[in-house]
Amino acid sequence: SSCHIYYSLCMWHSLQPHSTCSGASHHVPTKVPSKNQTKLANGETEVHHRPKRGWIWNQFFVLEEHMGPDAQYVGKLHSNSDKGDGSVRYILSGEGAGTIFIIDEVTGDIHATKSLDRERKTHYVLHAQALDRNTEEALEPKSEFIIKVQDINDNAPKFPDGPFVASVPEMSEVGTSVLQVTATDADDPTYGNSARIVYSILQGQPYFSVDPKTGIIRTALANMDREAREHYTVVIQAKDMAGQVGGLSGSTTINITLTDVNDNPPKFPQKNYQLYVPESAQVGKPVGKIKANDEDLGVNADIRYSIIISEGANMFSISADRDTREGIISLKKPLNFERKKTYTLNIEGVNTHVDPRFSYLGSFKDTATLKITVGDVDEAPVFSMDYYIMDVYENSPSGTEVGAVTARDPDSRNSHVRYFLDRKEEGINYFRVDEYSGVIYTTLPLDREDMPWHNITVMASEVDNPSLLSHVPVTVQVLDVNDNPPEIATDEEVIVCESSRPGQVIQTVTAVDKDDFANGQRFSFASPSQLPVNPNFTLKDNEDSTASIIARRRRFNHLTQELYELPIVVWDGGEPSLSGTSTLTLRVCPCQRHGRIRMCQGEAFLSSAGLSTGALIAILLCIVILLAIVVLFITLRRSKKEPLIISEEDIRENVVTYDDEGGGEEDTEAFDIIALRNPAAAEELKFRRDIRPEGRKHCGPPRIHRSPSVELDEVDVHQFIKQKLVEADMDTSVPPYDSLQTYAYEGQGSPTGSISPLDSPGTHSEQDFNYLDNWGPQFQKLAELYGDPESDVTT
């Protein structure tokens, strides 16, 4: 069976947006036969045997914002199977079914129970179906349809970004764009004129206008002057329905400000000005101000001031204050009422940023005349010079004239001036000034070596007005006289090496003198004439303000005499010439040569001891490591030592070796050599080799022994050795094992004699061993032993 569907459509006239339908009308389209047919091109029809719905439909329409008391009728569903007996039940499903849209199950009428808003939802998708009320079987398949919400003009235009702030330069041409405003309307722009907006100006005429379609605001009046009026308020209206009667409207406010341009020249309020400046005004300080007015703002009101007549330009200057835009007048040179009492300045003020578009308005500058009157002021005395430099010889008696200062009263009355010294400064105890003449005298003798320069300040005041003071610096140079004798430059000891030779230069000395010589210092040196000739040293004047100390003999010995004194007389080249005697101390000691520097062995030792911290740490670390190695070695040696007798059956034979080579002629404790020389005498002194004998001390330096040879008796060496062996076997203090003792007896007598110097008679060698002095400190001892036994000569 096929379904018949009715729908209602409320036709609206485009010019009547707020009209309502008087009722819903049923519009029934042409009925289609129950059997589906298709009309062919030749006029015949083709019958389709498959069942088909009897109605073609897809959507309904419903007006938004329905405010009636009853539910709004939307449409009607009807099936061909419905015979009107109530056996067909209609159901509705989908968006809003049962809440917004309801259907009469018997008649198929659809109603909207709520007022709809197109701006919130534009359409709803639903499904309709006809069922057999008794069997609940579907009489037709489920069909989908759309209910569209039809728009009405219920939203006024709005300006979402308002209110607005805009600006436009003053003096702009007519039609200059200021701002574009845009309004929005929530109504459907595709249906009718509900969203068609037209712009108009409600406030702001005749200064501004608005384009009705685009909303662009433009200037409507020429030569709008910011200085006359700066702020404007413009109200723009947006109306829908193309501006027709009945349309909805909205408005916004635009605050428009005219920005400044340089269209006004600077102007002095008056053409003539007067200024009083006292003659005591300080140079470089402001003395007055002048201002030209400019109605513009910012950089357009910047003014540059200048003095256009040279008469006052030499005495005054003018500059602009950036904050106040005033012309600050400053003093360039000191004023003098007695010389010039008035000055006339022509001052010009010019804009620094000129807009060429407004050049037709004239020149952007103005001038004014400033008359400056100089005021008379009682001034302090003025010195004839800014500073004074004087000189005086040292040691001059008190009251010696040094120089004079002069000051005068610059005022017309020319008052008398008094002079005095500034008591706050040091050095005034040496000088005084005459209060009437200004002459400076010494009060004490001056010493150039103590203070070569003196700085004092002389003050001057008027007799009539003592409160006005002026100051002037005075520098006094103390000139030199030859009043200090010269002296040797060094106080250190002079080192004399023991190996010094006659004629060798020990040291070169110089002199110093506290006096000042314009052509350089000249010194002469000599030995004191009243003393006898020094047999050890002589002095040579090098004639270049230096002198050389020369040795007169060889081989000084610090053990015999360590210190010598050498007096030296020094003369300077002054007028009159002065002399001084200085005594140098010469120390004798063995020397070591390090390049050109000589230093005593003791000093060398001390200097070598003055090591750096890093070197000392390294040395201490090495010592600690060596001690650790020794301790470890001793510990290991003790831990590995085995007992002499492991068991009673283990008796070892041992050879005891005495690797003692003796300590020379002075060693009498290592072993007894009497047995080797005289076996008979050895019987009386039986020393044990394994027991330390009592030590015999030798005092004093080693002596050379010259003794005759010992006559040995005829003794059989074999018997002597056997006797020693028996003594060793019978001695209970020896170790409990065999010991081999060796006695290197070589017999008696020798045809060649002994080559040892101990038994040989002393003979005096005639060979000259003085060359050993040149072999260095390593052979110094030999040089003393084999040198000539000449006695030292002392002063």
Side-chain angles (χ1 to χ4, degrees), residues 652-788:
R652 303 181 180 181
E653 295 183 355
N654 293 275
V655 177
V656 179
T657 305
Y658 295 89
D659 294 330
D660 193 348
E661 298 181 358
E665 293 82 354
E666 300 179 5
D667 188 2
T668 60
E669 298 180 0
F671 58 89
D672 187 12
I673 63 173
I674 297 178
L676 300 181
R677 296 179 177 176
N678 190 0
E683 295 294 334
E684 300 177 0
L685 301 175
K686 296 181 179 180
F687 298 116
R688 295 302 308 166
R689 297 298 302 275
D690 54 352
I691 300 177
R692 179 181 179 90
E694 295 182 359
R696 288 171 291 176
K697 300 181 179 178
H698 297 270
C699 298
R703 296 187 299 270
I704 301 177
H705 301 275
R706 295 180 176 91
S707 61
S709 61
V710 181
E711 297 293 336
L712 299 180
D713 298 335
E714 294 293 336
V715 179
D716 189 355
V717 176
H718 180 68
Q719 293 296 330
F720 174 75
I721 294 176
K722 287 180 64 177
Q723 182 181 354
K724 290 296 181 182
L725 180 60
V726 172
E727 291 177 358
D729 292 339
M730 297 302 293
D731 194 350
T732 59
S733 62
V734 299
Y737 46 81
D738 292 341
S739 175
L740 177 62
Q741 299 185 14
T742 303
Y743 297 88
Y745 176 66
E746 299 179 358
Q748 64 181 0
S750 176
T752 60
S754 175
I755 62 173
S756 173
L758 300 179
D759 295 331
S760 60
T763 58
H764 179 70
S765 176
E766 296 180 355
Q767 184 178 356
D768 186 7
F769 293 97
N770 291 332
Y771 61 89
L772 294 176
D773 294 337
N774 301 327
W775 287 13
Q778 293 85 352
F779 298 91
Q780 187 68 28
K781 195 67 177 179
L782 287 176
E784 293 176 359
L785 293 176
Y786 291 94
D788 294 338

Side-chain angles (χ1 to χ4, degrees), residues 468-484:
L468 294 177
L469 300 176
S470 58
H471 308 73
V472 66
V474 178
T475 301
V476 180
Q477 181 184 9
V478 181
L479 301 178
D480 183 57
V481 295
N482 191 17
D483 58 344
N484 291 280

Side-chain angles (χ1 to χ4, degrees), residues 187-456:
D187 293 328
D188 189 0
T190 63
Y191 181 77
N193 294 327
S194 298
R196 186 178 177 185
I197 299 174
V198 174
Y199 299 94
S200 61
I201 184 169
L202 300 181
Q203 180 181 338
Q205 295 176 332
Y207 307 104
F208 299 95
S209 64
V210 63
D211 189 295
K213 294 183 179 179
T214 61
I216 298 176
I217 302 173
R218 303 179 186 274
T219 57
L221 186 64
N223 298 327
M224 286 190 292
D225 191 2
R226 184 199 63 82
E227 289 73 27
R229 182 178 178 183
E230 184 176 4
H231 301 285
Y232 295 86
T233 300
V234 178
V235 179
I236 301 297
Q237 182 189 64
K239 189 174 184 180
D240 59 11
M241 298 300 295
Q244 298 179 4
V245 178
L248 303 179
S249 63
S251 62
T252 187
T253 301
I254 301 96
N255 295 316
I256 301 176
T257 302
L258 296 182
T259 58
D260 184 63
V261 297
N262 191 8
D263 59 340
N264 294 280
K267 294 288 184 182
F268 286 101
Q270 58 193 55
K271 290 297 182 182
N272 296 290
Y273 295 87
Q274 290 186 353
L275 180 64
Y276 172 82
V277 180
E279 62 174 338
S280 60
Q282 298 182 9
V283 175
K285 299 294 183 179
V287 296
K289 60 180 68 175
I290 190 172
K291 183 178 182 181
N293 298 326
D294 194 323
E295 297 180 353
D296 295 323
L297 301 176
V299 297
N300 297 321
D302 288 344
I303 301 174
R304 183 181 66 254
Y305 296 93
S306 60
I307 300 175
I308 58 178
I309 295 181
S310 60
E311 176 192 359
N314 296 328
M315 298 295 297
F316 299 92
S317 63
I318 188 170
S319 60
D321 189 314
R322 293 185 178 181
D323 297 329
T324 62
R325 292 187 173 87
E326 294 176 330
I328 307 301
I329 301 171
S330 302
L331 188 61
K332 295 173 64 176
K333 296 180 179 180
L335 297 175
N336 193 329
F337 174 81
E338 289 72 23
R339 293 182 181 179
K340 191 173 180 61
K341 298 178 175 57
T342 59
Y343 294 89
T344 301
L345 306 181
N346 284 351
I347 300 176
E348 181 183 65
V350 182
N351 277 141
T352 58
H353 300 82
V354 179
D355 193 337
R357 295 178 300 172
F358 307 104
S359 59
Y360 64 91
L361 297 177
S363 60
F364 284 77
K365 61 182 178 180
D366 195 15
T367 58
T369 301
L370 175 62
K371 183 178 181 180
I372 298 178
T373 301
V374 180
D376 187 18
V377 178
D378 190 5
E379 301 175 82
V382 178
F383 284 94
S384 60
M385 299 176 63
D386 295 334
Y387 61 91
Y388 293 86
I389 298 178
M390 305 175 183
D391 54 60
V392 62
Y393 280 99
E394 64 175 331
N395 301 327
S396 297
S398 299
T400 301
E401 181 179 344
V402 180
V405 296
T406 304
R408 63 175 183 84
D409 182 12
D411 299 324
S412 56
R413 56 185 179 179
N414 195 14
S415 299
H416 293 289
V417 178
R418 296 291 182 266
Y419 304 93
F420 55 94
L421 295 179
D422 188 356
R423 296 295 175 181
K424 298 180 181 179
E425 294 184 350
E426 297 180 359
I428 60 173
N429 295 329
Y430 298 99
F431 304 95
R432 68 179 180 85
V433 61
D434 187 277
E435 63 175 340
Y436 299 104
S437 63
V439 178
I440 300 174
Y441 299 94
T442 61
T443 59
L444 294 173
L446 304 178
D447 187 2
R448 189 201 66 86
E449 289 72 32
D450 183 29
M451 185 179 296
W453 295 87
H454 293 268
N455 296 313
I456 60 176

